[in-house]
Amino acid sequence: MNHGPQLIFKPIRSSDIGQYRCDAQNVLRKKSVTKSIDVKYAPKTPSVTVSPSGEIEEGSSVTLSCSSDANPAAEYTWFKEHEDSVKASGQNYSITNITSELGGNYYCQAHKAIGYHNSTFLIIKVTSSSSSSSSSSSSSSSSSSHPAMVAVTTIVVLLATILLLVLLWMSHYQVLCMKTFQL
């Protein structure tokens, strides 16, 4: 609450948006006036999401979404890294029947006449439908045995190395013993 003839916002912020009432009174009467404050500000750094998240299977669909706090509301443009052309306009960018060529880093730009901000990159990784289906069926059975196979192979190699070293030491020891007895 402010007492006095003026309410000064120094500096004005986006959080100052709202309704303000001024009450004035003297011995004769009381008067109230309400005023709205609408603060215009450039878009803040946009946040981006992808649905579905994770790796995208070739041939499926993906939707990229962008949102930013701005007044007036921001407009959105989608870009792909290292490409000059606009991919889409609007808060959401949907790609249907996606291919591996469409994978990569995407970002959106939230803009208005008073300013703009770019989002961070969204990384879209597209996997081949044939390799993911065959690898998922074969990897599910071999994924649990793979670490065990590596361990067994390592143990066998170590034992073979130890056995070879022992045999070499024994043959060297026998040669030394034979030379000692011949003297």
Side-chain angles (χ1 to χ4, degrees):
M1 182 183 277
N2 183 33
H3 296 283
Q6 293 180 344
L7 175 60
I8 299 172
F9 298 92
K10 209 175 196 180
I12 195 157
R13 297 182 299 263
S14 59
S15 59
D16 294 326
I17 292 174
Q19 298 280 323
Y20 292 85
R21 190 179 80 211
C22 177
D23 294 326
Q25 71 180 29
N26 62 21
V27 292
L28 299 175
R29 67 182 183 159
K30 179 179 180 179
K31 184 164 182 169
S32 291
V33 175
T34 301
K35 292 290 180 182
S36 293
I37 301 270
D38 186 24
V39 180
K40 307 289 186 207
Y41 55 95
K44 309 277 191 221
T45 301
S47 61
V48 287
T49 58
V50 60
S51 178
S53 59
E55 292 185 356
I56 310 299
E57 190 172 316
E58 202 169 56
S60 64
S61 298
V62 65
T63 299
L64 314 180
S65 299
C66 184
S67 64
S68 174
D69 182 25
N71 189 22
E75 296 172 9
Y76 301 96
T77 306
W78 285 94
F79 299 92
K80 185 176 181 186
E81 185 181 30
H82 306 303
E83 291 185 14
D84 295 330
S85 62
V86 170
K87 291 296 177 191
S89 294
Q91 198 164 2
N92 297 315
Y93 173 33
S94 293
I95 306 170
T96 55
N97 198 22
I98 196 164
T99 62
S100 58
E101 292 80 27
L102 293 173
N105 296 333
Y106 289 83
Y107 66 97
C108 78
Q109 181 181 83
H111 52 91
K112 212 55 188 171
I114 54 179
Y116 71 92
H117 266 100
N118 291 337
S119 72
T120 57
F121 285 118
L122 266 179
I123 300 168
I124 305 300
K125 186 171 182 185
V126 181
T127 58
S128 170
S129 56
S130 61
S131 68
S132 67
S133 63
S134 65
S135 68
S136 65
S137 61
S138 64
S139 68
S140 62
S141 62
S142 66
S143 64
S144 59
S145 63
H146 179 69
M149 184 68 102
V150 170
V152 167
T153 304
T154 303
I155 291 169
V156 167
V157 168
L158 283 172
L159 288 174
T161 304
I162 291 170
L163 181 62
L164 181 63
L165 288 172
V166 167
L167 290 174
L168 284 173
W169 179 78
M170 286 177 65
S171 67
H172 180 71
Y173 182 74
Q174 283 179 348
V175 169
L176 281 176
C177 285
M178 290 168 91
K179 284 184 179 180
T180 307
F181 287 123
Q182 287 178 353
L183 292 175

